[in-house]
Amino acid sequence: MREDAQKIEFYNEFIEKVENKATKIGSRQTAFLEEMLPYMEQLDEPEKFYYVHSHKKVQLNGYLYDEEQGSLDLYVVDYIYEELENEILPATMSYLLNVANKAKRFFTNAKTLIDVLEKSQLSIRDVANTIINLKLGLDEVNIFVLTNKFYLSNKPIELTIPGVETTNVQVWDMDRIYQLSIAEQGIQDFYIDLEDRYKQTFEMMFVPNNSTVESSYAFDCFIGFIPATLLAQLYEDMGPKLVERNVRSFLQARGGTNKGIRDTLKDSAQRQMFVAYNNGISTVARYGNIEQIDGVNLYRIKGLTGWQIVNGGQTTASIHQAFRSGIDLTEVYIQAKLTILKVEANQEKDQHVVEDEMVSKISEYANTQNKINKSDLLANTRFMSDIEKFSRNTWIPTQDGRRAEKKWYFERARGQYMVDIGRRKRGKEQSDFKKQYPKENVLTKVDLAKYFMSWEGYPHISSKGGEEAFKKFMNHNSEYWKYKKDQNDEITSIQEMNNDFYKTLIARTVINHHVTDIVDQMKLKGYRANVIYYTTAMFSYIYGKKIDLLEIWQKQSVSDKWESIIRIIASQVLNYLKESAGDRNVTQWAKQEACWTQFKEDFTKQLSNIV
């Protein structure tokens, strides 16, 4: 099948990237975790570490504790290096349950593990201590299973932990990553036959559009309600395909809003009030098999092409979870809005780009009860498009006088690079593309944000993860994508982005990569990401005025004269983070502004005298 061939090609490109990173950091599992995280786009970044334990039934690769929500995220990696030729690597439900149980056993055996963990394994001891201290106060444990196999059945993994009210298992497999990458490049054309396959349809009213004002967007809008049983069955079959269009894929009931949904569905007295309590879902589709009923303003939705839930992922996941739990949903309905996008390719804009803009705006302006990632909503701003444009048009300077052959590749959408490769013919066409855009020069929007914020003196923001860093990055550079009114009351951009600004963005990336290489060579024990962000920030704070970012761009490297200084700063950062945290969790302490402020106050003078 053509799709299987595309999946294999995508997989091999992805695994090659993992293997290249693994040679640098010394761990395939950690490299795989780092490559998967940008697709997951968690609101906060987990602490990643290397876990080695003689007992094969226990494993943990990362964790994140959310004090506000009373939840603990545990990350466990299943990665076996293998290139694919003709067939994909399948994973069964029982296989993945076994992987999830490795993380569960870490949780349930935390007290025992403390006695056998080496003192050098600081970050792992941190999570073990966190589990011991919080076991009775945790409302929720979320286990993330990351595998380089293909979990094609997409059936939920059921698992419980004694003493924990809610345990959720999310599977992030290669099929999901592939589908997510494809979805972000444009709405897919899969057809959902409601009438024949599900023996159900639903009715909606058409919203008239009698405006005479010309608009860039053409669409038909319908409003109505969907039976909860139908939505749950659709999600059971389609899974992430329904919710991965420009919004965070949400597969679990977490947070105050979702617990309210879950509790309402459990209570038979409140269940029929769900439509009154819940704000519903916003959806888009490319086409619809829709017929008018008896000449009135009522239409029967019989089938949809490219249907996506762009706001309401939490509602959908909670409905599905209740459905899987055996709760009777026959009297539950969800109010819904359906927008049929009527977009055709033209000379000015690609069809998918226009769809991106429309979906992004629908997501942004829909009711914000359901959390949507800023990086998804802002991915289509003019600022992001300009960075993408400059990355495609700006050659990297050569140092030997020969003509330039390479460029940086900015990914405005997740997986864009590998999808771009897949669109080209195998052989010379793909080879030429990779030669022009090497894998090591691929830069995601959240990584760009973290590198920028670190250099500008916000390592605590970068430590919070890609989403928070991206939000602050966009706020910091708002003049490049926001608009103002001029003296004639006309809308104009505040600031036009130019090529030099793009070059300084890449220069910050080069510096961060340089710091990362040095930190990896030092083989420091624990808190790698925090050490990199804080080292970069302090290097900039003390010595930034001596660094010419345009010169860094021109040379695509950092002078060797700074290496010893960076090493000293990195060592001080690690010691400071461990000692200043006291009884606090080190990773959480590094995310606080007070941590950065105190580090500057305590070490600026000392680290300024090492030139």
Side-chain angles (χ1 to χ4, degrees), residues 564-589:
S564 61
I565 293 173
I566 292 172
R567 285 178 175 271
I568 293 171
I569 295 175
S571 294
Q572 290 287 9
V573 166
L574 180 58
N575 292 334
Y576 164 78
L577 289 176
K578 291 188 294 186
E579 294 172 6
S580 63
D583 294 332
R584 291 168 291 197
N585 180 286
V586 174
T587 304
Q588 295 302 315
W589 167 233

Side-chain angles (χ1 to χ4, degrees), residues 30-31 33-35 37 45-51 60-63 75 123-124 450 526-530 533 587:
T30 305
L33 174 58
E34 290 187 353
E35 288 301 318
L37 284 173
E45 186 165 306
E47 170 68 15
K48 305 179 288 287
F49 46 76
Y50 310 90
Y51 180 67
L60 197 66
N61 297 86
Y63 81 101
Y75 293 76
S123 55
I124 309 173
K450 287 189 288 188
Y527 318 112
R528 174 177 175 269
N530 306 121
Y533 301 143
T587 304

Side-chain angles (χ1 to χ4, degrees), residues 31 58 209 235 285 315 427 478:
V58 179
N209 181 8
Y235 190 82
T315 295
S478 60

Side-chain angles (χ1 to χ4, degrees), residues 189-201:
D189 281 331
F190 60 82
Y191 179 67
I192 301 175
D193 194 329
L194 300 171
E195 187 174 43
D196 289 343
R197 180 170 180 178
Y198 294 95
K199 309 304 178 185
Q200 292 191 67
T201 60

Side-chain angles (χ1 to χ4, degrees), residues 291-318:
E291 67 176 16
Q292 190 171 9
I293 301 175
D294 298 330
V296 297
N297 187 24
L298 192 63
Y299 291 78
R300 180 175 291 112
I301 313 300
K302 302 168 67 176
L304 294 166
T305 297
W307 194 46
Q308 294 274 290
I309 297 169
V310 297
N311 187 265
Q314 295 182 8
T315 295
T316 304
S318 299

Side-chain angles (χ1 to χ4, degrees), residues 512-525:
N512 191 283
H513 285 180
H514 185 73
V515 172
T516 299
D517 288 343
I518 292 174
V519 169
D520 288 342
Q521 291 168 16
M522 295 173 70
K523 300 187 183 302
L524 300 176
K525 301 295 183 181

